[in-house]
Amino acid sequence: MHKRTLAALIAVCAATTPASSQSMSPMRGVVRSFTDSFAVRVQPRNPYKHRIGVTIRAYDADFRPIDASISPADFSLGAGASRSVLVVLSFEGARERRVRICTESAPFPGKGVGMRAQICGKFIAYRL
């Protein structure tokens, strides 16, 4: 009886579809710049079957918010859509800077469970 229950549980789990999750690419990168600032282009993607609101934010390596020029910073993404976002950051006088760029999203009211999701990429910039 125990083996049949286990086999049925495995069959049910195998028949379910995998959960979709928000994504952003690239998730890691190295940037080299000759100027006092550097740019990273990321592409958040909405894998869900409904529209979501997206915010792009920049943080230092310890997840403290930092100043950045983000274009666009806030937008909505339709089902299955993706969008290119440009993030420009300053070296702030340093020769190297480690940053995290995060895609934060939440479904629009009445869509899904209303949970906010966050996915972050890690980037290292070198000033030449």
Side-chain angles (χ1 to χ4, degrees), residues 53-112:
V54 176
T55 299
I56 306 297
R57 298 184 198 263
Y59 300 94
D60 68 9
D62 297 318
F63 284 100
R64 290 182 297 247
I66 57 175
D67 287 331
S69 174
I70 303 171
S71 180
D74 298 295
F75 53 94
S76 64
L77 274 179
S82 64
R83 181 169 185 168
S84 181
V85 177
L86 183 65
V87 182
V88 179
L89 301 123
S90 170
F91 278 104
E92 295 185 346
R95 305 240 356 125
E96 175 184 307
R97 186 140 192 223
R98 295 173 185 267
V99 298
R100 297 180 189 269
I101 298 172
C102 301
T103 297
E104 300 174 357
S105 67
F108 285 110
K111 301 287 184 184

Side-chain angles (χ1 to χ4, degrees), residues 29-74:
V30 176
V31 179
R32 291 172 180 82
S33 176
F34 290 103
T35 66
D36 294 334
S37 61
F38 61 97
V40 176
R41 186 172 295 277
V42 295
Q43 190 144 359
R45 183 179 167 278
N46 174 12
Y48 305 114
K49 295 180 181 179
H50 53 79
R51 178 174 296 280
I52 59 173
V54 176
T55 299
I56 306 297
R57 298 184 198 263
Y59 300 94
D60 68 9
D62 297 318
F63 284 100
R64 290 182 297 247
I66 57 175
D67 287 331
S69 174
I70 303 171
S71 180
D74 298 295

